[in-house]
Amino acid sequence: MDQQLGGYFQLTFDVGNPWRPAWSPDSRRIAFQTRAGLGSEADIYIQSLDSESKSRPLVIGTGSNFYPTWSHDGEWILYTHLDGSNKFSEIWRIRADGTEEPEPILRERFSVAFPSVSPDGRYVAYFSDRSGQGNIFVSSYPDGSRHARVTNQGAGWPKWRGDSIYFIDFETGNLMAAEVTTIPVFRAGQPQMVLTQDQAGAPFSVPGLFLWDVSADESEIVLIRDRAAGSVPQVVVVENWRYATDL
């Protein structure tokens, strides 16, 4: 959105089906994935907010690379990687300026996906099925040498904001959060309810997409929802959510 002109402009023209955009910490760039069609490989691009610039390819032609996310210093893009030689997804990273080759940071004998780096850059939260069902874990970043479990009952789509890790509970579909600390070592509190699906008025996720986000200062939750079948989707911003009882 062009705040000076009060309107909107198209950012991408030269790539097919861009989706899952992720803002850089300085709000000057957007990382996104794109794919030519269903079942095809997914690539990652970066687009400057200069509307005249072309999208810059960052990770292309190396299997499926999806759900890009930024490190909090804006230096790295983390993403989920899957190729035909391995049935398990992995977590990789690449410098946002593309000056170095991508490298794996979490490669296990089970699937790991959807990374989210802590604000201090020392840890990464992610989804893993290492426990037999999907749950949220945290590992030291970038070496992945230490692991801690955040959830026990099945959860996914983690987002690390401030001193909390937000995620979706698989059983209820509700948005949850666990307060965490990283000093002197990582510790996670008991997960607490943030918003139910009934309060949100729509699911927080559907296959292949999650339809929510939390602002960096944790003051707002953004939701996408439909009020009725066939209606235009609404973008809803929830403020003072810690006390919200109805939307």
Side-chain angles (χ1 to χ4, degrees), residues 127-229:
F127 164 89
S128 172
D129 61 5
R130 73 172 66 197
S131 60
Q133 65 174 337
N135 272 293
I136 307 303
F137 290 80
V138 165
S139 290
S140 54
Y141 174 79
D143 60 27
S145 62
R146 300 185 302 277
H147 307 283
R149 189 167 173 169
V150 178
T151 66
N152 293 296
Q153 302 300 320
W157 316 112
K159 291 180 181 290
W160 201 320
R161 300 290 187 267
D163 60 358
S164 297
I165 297 175
Y166 296 80
F167 56 89
I168 301 300
D169 179 83
F170 283 164
E171 181 177 357
T172 65
N174 296 331
L175 179 61
M176 309 285 289
E179 291 191 355
V180 298
T181 181
T182 60
I183 299 174
V185 295
F186 176 83
R187 296 183 185 278
Q190 186 70 21
Q192 303 293 322
M193 178 75 69
V194 175
L195 287 174
T196 68
Q197 288 192 88
D198 288 341
Q199 289 173 325
F204 288 104
S205 63
V206 296
L209 293 171
F210 46 95
L211 309 176
W212 61 279
D213 206 345
V214 180
S215 61
D217 62 3
E218 302 180 83
S219 65
E220 298 172 334
I221 296 173
V222 180
L223 311 169
I224 299 176
R225 67 183 180 189
D226 293 329
R227 280 297 189 185

Side-chain angles (χ1 to χ4, degrees), residues 2 11 35 41 43 76 88 113 128-129 150 213 215 224 235:
D2 186 332
L11 280 176
R35 61 198 311 172
E41 293 184 344
D43 300 321
W76 297 90
F88 301 115
S128 172
D129 61 5
V150 178
D213 206 345
S215 61
I224 299 176
V235 177

Side-chain angles (χ1 to χ4, degrees), residues 1-2 17 20 32 75 109 117 192 204 218 231:
M1 181 172 68
D2 186 332
N17 297 331
R20 294 171 180 153
F32 63 93
E75 293 292 321
R109 296 189 303 274
V117 181
Q192 303 293 322
F204 288 104
E218 302 180 83
S231 64

